Every structure is written in structure tokens, then in C-alpha cells.
Amino acid sequence: MFTFSSLQGALSESASSQSILELDGGIKVLIDVGWDESFDIAKLKELEKQVPTLSLILLTHATTNHIAAYAHCCKHFPLFTRIPVYATSPVIALGRTLLQDLYASTPLAATTIPSTSLDEISYSSQQSSTSDILLQAPAPEEIATYFSLIHPLKYSQPHQPLGSPFSPPLNGLTITAYNSGRTLGGTIWHIQHGLESIVYAVDWNQGRENVYAGAAWLGGAGGGGAEIIEQLRKPTALVCSSRGGEKTAISGGRSKRDEQLLNKVKSCIARGGTVLIPIDSSARVLELAYLMDHAWRADATTGDGQLKSAKLYLAGRNIHSTMRYARSMLEWMDDSIIREFEAVVDGSKRVNGTTDGSKSGKEAGPFDFRFLKLLDRKGQIDKVLGSETGEGAPVGKVILASDSTLEWGFSKDVLKQIAEDPKNMVILTEYPSLASEGHPSLARSLWTWWKEGQEMSIENSNGETRHELELTEAKRQALEGNDLAIYQQWLAQQRQLQTTLQSGGANALESTEDVGDEASESESESEDSDNEQQGRALNVATTMGQASRKKAALTDEDLGINILLKKKGVYDFDVRNKKGRDRMFPHPVRRRRADDYGELIRPEDFLRAEERDDNDGQDMAQAGKDEDQDKLGKKRKWDNASANAKNRGSGPSKRPHLTRSVTDDFDMAVSDGPIEDGLDGIPDDPDETNLGPSKLVFTKTTIAINLEVDFIDLSGIHDKRSLHMLIPLIQPRKLILIGGTEGETITLASDCKKLFAEGSVSIYTPAIGTAIDASVDTNAWVVKLAPTLVKQLKWQNVRGLSIATVTGRLLAMHMEQAGHQDEDAANKRLKIEGSTEPAETNEVPAEPTLDVLPTNMASATRSVAQPLHVGDLRLADLRKAMQQSGHTAEFRGEGTLLIDGSVVVRKTTAGRIDVESIGLPTDGGPATQLGGTFYAVKRTIYESLAVVAGA
């Protein structure tokens, strides 16, 4: 059984994606937890209802449309963190930076408390029907913790996942991730359960790009096959996105697309304007950043290019972490990126290299940017846009800024500052979705104006747009008075609810900022807390939180052990005969951080005293000087990162260590000179998330849009040609189309009906919330084996399974005849039937039985039957078996095993095993025995498989 239902993204203008696959036995798989730019909590209501029934969760892309609601669900849905989540390593790493950027950029992502939840506290009688009190947003540390719970997977490796504690048995469910292209780590999921073979493919791209390899339909990058790989061919159901089903491919392909973008940029730079390119902060940003920086490199080699005088910037609050992850995951990118990196590494190892004055543009790595400057603070944006040259001539600037919707992030700030100048330009690179009919995003409004201008074909307009655009700014404002009291009551109610639903649920709501008791966060996790103390501790903590803001008086009994922290002049507390938290001194214990390799340590903690003194002396003496030669092999100090800033003083830096990464990325990014000291010296933006309980306040402003608006599709989503070519090659039995507008979905469905033979494929276009039954069409019969046939079966064991081949003659034996084979049972049955009811001989049911073939038929069948190898050979198991036999075996590249230096065993993506030998015997060792290495390998392979024949 297979039932599919879409929670978001089907027949909708919204690009967010959420789907539930229900398999036989009540197994429910949630794929993606996307959200759109509206951050409407009502769109997650259905998902919240499904949480207690989910078995596992799969993630496909590290974009807001596929992963934005993940942190919200982990923090506010009590059972969500107990469900196993699976994704590729890049999706985990880049998804973490994306959500940290999202929650730091806009308070809308935190969402407001539903008014229905506040009705129970008589909120509706005092306020309006809509609530503006914000839920507590997950902190960056919490987001990192949530993503650390995700199980990382690699491409093309089948995995049998573990179900949630409240899930039915998975019964051999197998998931496999394949490359989908378009984003780093983007996934096409193959789900195998019984007879169901389901392929879930949304937002994939078959074409190769500068950074990303093409989808794995035809074998991935370098595959070059004309057929779909065996694992993805002929699934019982294919779930495919229809977005881009009406889009025609650009003639000239990727090179033509990149050329159009650079021509637009050059035209704006030539007149001294600023180009804004809104992008996401985790996925497509890598493709655009690589394209632009390498365009500047190529232009610099000519010496007289148009891009030489222009400045190139990439803005995002967490962009340093994103690029650091990208540099560490080059193996997930296209082969051209890997070759470029290897060429740089090989060049750096040469003794006689080029001098600094003759550096070529290819000396820097793929993401070691030479011209692209990273900006992560709003003050840097303001300084870049306000800077002019000494002569007063305007300097062209190109700014890549998140987010592509222009609703949050630095792209919105840049748009406000450049909108009124007709020399400037904004280039949209993705088709903007429409989350709400009444409130389109800024990118959608600009795209609509551009589309109208294209259709009208007004001459002499140069694409300039003159409109007025209303901007809505969302800000946090601390709660006061009655709103604070209402929030505290609601918070206490939610904690009691979470405590009831799961053990330790009260810790899910952070108490540091809401209640004001910093010690309670660590103490509430103590194993010594008693159940009878939970309610009292909760009420006391809530009262303390109100007291810290309202200055209300608390008795010493209410304070308990916290009297040592809350009252001055108190240094002793009697813990005798106390219970719960009052038994322990309120000392917050710092947890040890650990990963798969053990506990994380700080190298500076293990320095000898003389080494520590030497380092401290160097830091004080060399402040403000160039220390490149003295610091080789040593980790940089944070205080030294800004030592070259313009007269910033010699005191230690007061910028927080955890809010942003150190400026090592700048030094790594620029190979021919230091960064601009003025940008690095700008202080960090104020952190509004530390305001505590707050509400949402909107301010609206209207700006004139005089700049030029253009659109170039760099979204990297499949087009009409790819869909029409690959879907027939995949040959699915059932096709489910989601992830597109109603027009795109209906058009693609009608085109697919023409591509397939009539009635051969069932095509579904479900709406949001509609469940469809897409089970595989099979007919099963129960056949009884005759005892004489069972005695002749030869069983073979393969990975814990017993396998035998059966060849027999199907007979229709009556139940009465079959019963006579066991005489004792037959006699007992006849005596019972004879004593109760007369025997009925009119209608005797027949039972299909497989019996032994007669002698004359067996000889003919034996000549036709072909031997069959059953099992899956793993090269790791073959390597272990050969080493135990005395041979040398080692891996040489992916999917290649070298044995005794003379035999190579390769396993292709289709599961085929190729064994090659040099044909020469080796001297000594087990290779000279029993026919040599080649026959030893062949014999070991056959022993690991079950060879069955049809006779």
C-alpha cells in the first residue's frame, strides 16, 4: 500500500514543499519541512497533527522552500525531535547556516502566538483578534543542536533507517539518496518497501553547471549514459515536481545564460551604477559567487576589461560559515571543481613557482575568492554603498545579497538605498513564488513589473521601472505590563503541556530569556529533580521572571537556593532536608562538547608554561605589526585579526566570539593583498533576539522605484525539455506531479499523457491535503508446496536469507485429497465430521498446489533453465575475505579494489562486477597457489553469492 498526500506545494503558487508518504503497516514518511516567506504558522497546523504518527523524516535541499520550518518544529512541536531525520552532509551543514541567517535577519520567522491559544487566558477580551506576541525564536546554539540530530548519508548507499519510538515496525524499509543537482547535497530519494519502489524527485536539474553536477538519472557527472540507472528505472511510483514545466531551455545552454548575466552587469557598471542580485544564502549562492569571482579573474588577466574597476561583494549574516563549509565539501561538487582544486594544490607544491607579481587567476582555489569581498554586518553594507572615490567619480558595484525574496536579509536593505537612482539595476535570478495573494513579496512585485514591461515592449524605456513600492519592516519590541503577564501565563501552560507529553519536555522552552533565571536552565536538567517539585519549581520560576521585570517582592521561601543569586549579602543556605533543586548549590555546569571522534579540546589548554608566556609576550609586543613570518604554524588570535585596523587601539577586541566567524576567511579569500581595514573595523549589528519576551511591530514606508529591473533565470530547475525527455525514460507505473502552479502541473500532466501509451501510466495531480492511493497493482496467490517437492529443495544462505529455486507442476488439488496426505489428521477430521454433520460432496474447494515434475518434463526444463546469481557483493566484504586468505587488498579510488597488485575488481552503478587481471603470476605468497590471484578472487566472489538454477 502506498498513499501520498501533499501538505504544501501542490497546485500552488507557493514554492514550499511538504509531503507525506504512507506505506503498508502504517509507516509514514515526511519529506521536507519547507516554509515560504509569509512564515504563516497556520500552514504548519496539518503537519503538527501528523507528528505523533510519523516514522522518519527525509530532507532534499538546503533551501527555505524545503527546510525553513525545521527549527520551528523542533522547538515548538513536543515530539518532533524524537523522529529520526536523514539528509546528506551538505544539506545538514548549509541548512544550519541558512536557518541561523534566517532567524537573525527577521523576527517574522519566530512567528506569533496564535490568538486561539491566548483565548484561554482571556486575551481576546482585552486585545484584538490577531496576536502580535512573538514565540521564542530558536537560538543559534539550539539550531546547531537540532541539526546535529540529523543522520548524514552519502549518495548511492542504501540505508535501512530506524523508526521513531511511536512508529510501527519498518519491515525492511530502505532509503537511498541520489544526486539531484541544483544545490549542494540536493537529493533524489529512492524508497523501497516490499513491492513498492518509490522515487521522490523535486527541484532537480539534469544539466551540469559551474559548481553542481547534473542529476543522477543517467549516471551523474561523467556518466554519459543513454538509459536511466537501474536503481531509478521503472519505479512503481514517481513523485516529480512540475515547476518549470512550461519553461523552454535557453539556446546556448549554461554559457549563454552566464554571458547574458555578465552583459547586464557590465552595462550597469559602465554608467557607474550598483547592481543588486538577490540570492539565497545557502544553495544557489555558491553557483553565483563562483561565476562572478571567476568572471573578475578572467577579466583581470586581460588587463583592459570592464570589470577591473568595479567592486564585487557578497552579503549575508552567516556567509563566512557558508563559504567555510563549501571549501570543505568540494567532493560533493562537479568534477571540474575538483580538478581545479587539485591543480591549485599541485601548483603550490612546486618549488620553483611563479612570483607574486606574475600570479594568474587560477592560483586561488575554487572558493578562495580573490575579488569577492564577504560582508556580514549592516554597517559594512552602509559603508560600501556610501563610499565614493577621492575624485568623486562613481564606482560600479555588484552586490550579491540574501534573500532572493527581498523580504528579509541584506538584499532588502540594499534595495532601499539604491531604488531611487536610475543608474542602478536589480537582477532577479529566480521566479518569485506567491505566498499570499494579498501580500506578494517584493521580488514578486518587481518581477510582475518586469513582465508587464516585456509584454508591452515599450521602446526607449531601457527596462527602467518607475513605480512606488510599499516596504513593511518588522521589528521586535519588549513586552511590558499586561502583555508580559499574559505571556508568562501562556508560557507556564505550555511547559506543563510539554512535561505531560514527553519526559524532559519542560526544557524545550528556554528559561534564560523568558523567565530570567539563568541557573534554572542547567539545574532543570538534573536527574535528582523530583516529580513533586516540578509544578512548584515552575510556578516559582514564572514568578521570579515576573519579579525580575516588575520588581515584585519574593519571600525567601519562594527563592529557595536562588537566594544566593538574587539577594545581596546572603552567602549561606541550609540544604539539609531539602528536596529537588534546593539540595544542590546553583552552579551551572558547562557541558563537554564532543563529536564522533571524541571530546573536543582546546590546543591552548595543553601548552607548556614557557610556550604560553612566549605567545602572550608576542601578542603584546607585536600588536599592530605584520606577523606573517612569526605566526607560521600557529593558530591566530582573535585580538590579532583586527590589529591592522586603522587606529582601533591596542586593547582586546570586545566583539563576541560566537556570533560570527573570525576573519581568517578574508585572508584566505584574498591572495594579493589585505582586506579593507575600514570594513573589518565596523562593529557587529545589535542582537535583537536578546530582548526577551517581545512582540511584533510593523512600520510601513513607501519608496520610489526608478532603477532598472531585469530577470535572468539562474534557478537551475528542470525545464520542459528535460521533463519530456527523462520521464518516459524512467518508465514509472504511476506518476504524481507536485511542486508547481496549477497551470504548470495541468500542462505537464497533459503532455505526459501524450508521451506514454494510453492507459499505461496513471497520472495524478493532487491538491494540498488530498490523499491519493498510488499502490502498486499486483495480484498475489497462495500456492501450497507438496511434501515431496519440499524434500528436494536445496537451500542456500545469503546474508541471513535462505534462497532456493522451485520448478514444479501446478495442480488443483481438492481440499479433501490434500488432507489425506496426513492420515492421522484425516482420520480425526473424518470422525469429527461424521459424528456431527453428514459429508457434503457437491462442492469441494480446490487448492493450488505445486508438485514435482514428471520425469519426461524435468529433462526438458533442465536444458532451458539458466543459472542465476542472487546477492549483493560488497567490495568491503571482498577485501576482508581476501585479506583473511593471505592476499593484499586495498582500495584505489571509489568502487575499485586492487588485490595483490595484479587483479582489479570494479563495481559499477548498475551493480555489475568487473574483474580484470594483468595475466602474469606474482612471485611467492598465496597468489601462486590454487591457480593464482585471479581464480582466488573469482572463487571468493562466487562463494559470497547464491548460485541457483531452474532445475
Side-chain angles (χ1 to χ4, degrees), residues 118-176:
L118 298 175
D119 289 344
E120 302 175 0
I121 316 175
S122 302
Y123 183 81
S124 58
S125 61
Q126 303 172 9
Q127 300 290 339
S128 60
S129 58
T130 58
S131 168
D132 57 356
I133 299 180
L134 284 171
L135 287 169
Q136 186 178 359
E141 295 79 9
E142 289 181 300
I143 295 176
T145 301
Y146 297 149
F147 277 89
S148 66
L149 301 177
I150 302 178
H151 302 274
L153 297 179
K154 294 183 179 180
Y155 285 148
S156 304
Q157 292 188 357
H159 180 76
Q160 291 188 350
L162 300 175
S164 61
F166 38 83
S167 167
L170 299 186
N171 297 327
L173 176 70
T174 304
I175 58 175
T176 310

Side-chain angles (χ1 to χ4, degrees), residues 75 78 136 142 491-512 514-515 520-521 524-525 529 534-535 537-538:
K75 187 172 182 65
Q136 186 178 359
E142 289 181 300
L491 182 63
Q493 186 182 44
Q494 294 299 311
R495 284 190 179 156
Q496 291 174 354
L497 177 61
Q498 288 194 7
T499 305
T500 304
L501 292 178
Q502 66 177 25
S503 60
N507 299 331
L509 291 177
E510 187 179 355
S511 58
T512 303
D514 291 319
V515 182
S520 64
E521 181 179 2
S524 61
E525 299 171 355
S529 60
Q534 289 182 357
L538 177 62

Side-chain angles (χ1 to χ4, degrees), residues 16 170 279 327 356 569 692 833 856:
S16 57
L170 299 186
I279 53 173
R327 297 186 191 104
D356 293 339
E833 293 177 355
N856 57 349

Side-chain angles (χ1 to χ4, degrees), residues 346-419:
D346 293 340
S348 62
K349 293 181 181 179
R350 297 174 183 175
V351 178
N352 298 325
T354 58
T355 61
D356 293 339
S358 59
K359 287 184 178 180
S360 62
K362 294 184 179 180
E363 283 192 356
F367 289 94
D368 296 335
F369 301 120
R370 298 186 58 207
F371 297 92
L372 186 68
K373 306 297 188 302
L374 305 182
L375 311 177
D376 62 350
R377 282 157 281 172
K378 189 176 183 301
Q380 293 176 331
I381 300 289
D382 298 336
K383 185 163 187 177
V384 165
L385 293 177
S387 62
E388 299 291 344
T389 60
E391 301 177 356
V395 177
K397 306 180 189 68
V398 179
I399 302 177
L400 310 177
S402 63
D403 179 65
S404 58
T405 62
L406 293 170
E407 286 295 315
W408 57 272
F410 289 143
S411 61
K412 189 175 184 178
D413 299 328
V414 175
L415 178 65
K416 289 190 296 184
Q417 300 189 45
I418 69 172

